[in-house]
Amino acid sequence: MRLADLMGARVRDRDGREIGHVSDVRLREHPAPDAGPAGTVLKVEGLVVATRARGRLIAYDHRPVDGPWPLTRLARWAARNARWAPWPAVAGHEPPDRLGDPGTVRLAVPGTELVPLTDAHDDWNSTRPGPAAP
């Protein structure tokens, strides 16, 4: 599967309810086994599930916004209904019936178990590694 197959895909929860679409895919760097200190691999952390029918979340689904309070407030408002689906909650992907249509991502959990994206941003900030030691 390619990341492009996930972008825009419909998301259905464990019970088959459509809860939104994939707005973004979050990756994280991990040390590559047997590659030495400079080698890393990217692994999928999870999916941002947006409820808006069209468009993205004005790029606020990528990372939390720190800045002037009006911009921060706008970012939180834009992402208010977005949810975070960690990768272990993803049960599978079904390709579309026709070329150009979105596929479907199936979750192994009910949609009600997905945390709000803004809460996930808070967790990401609290676990972000600090600057490298000299």
Side-chain angles (χ1 to χ4, degrees):
M1 174 184 353
R2 298 172 9 179
L3 285 178
D5 295 334
L6 294 172
M7 295 301 299
R10 287 184 288 272
V11 179
R12 294 191 180 274
D13 71 1
R14 178 184 69 193
D15 302 320
R17 288 188 297 266
E18 188 167 333
I19 59 172
H21 68 277
V22 176
S23 176
D24 200 11
V25 179
R26 182 175 166 93
L27 305 173
R28 184 170 292 218
E29 283 186 277
H30 295 274
D34 303 326
T40 60
V41 294
L42 293 174
K43 292 185 180 180
V44 177
E45 281 273 309
L47 308 173
V48 173
V49 180
T51 56
R52 291 180 51 185
R54 299 232 179 247
R56 300 196 45 147
L57 298 176
I58 320 170
Y60 296 130
D61 49 348
H62 294 282
R63 63 182 57 86
V65 175
D66 291 325
W69 72 266
L71 187 56
T72 303
R73 194 170 208 151
L74 175 65
R76 282 204 176 266
W77 181 83
R80 71 191 178 282
N81 294 322
R83 298 285 183 246
W84 171 247
W87 192 243
V90 176
H93 173 265
E94 298 171 10
D97 293 331
R98 295 183 319 166
L99 187 63
D101 286 348
T104 302
V105 170
R106 299 227 177 253
L107 300 178
V109 299
T112 55
E113 288 187 17
L114 301 182
V115 299
L117 181 61
T118 52
D119 292 353
H121 281 161
D122 293 341
D123 289 344
W124 297 336
N125 283 338
S126 67
T127 60
R128 187 182 305 162

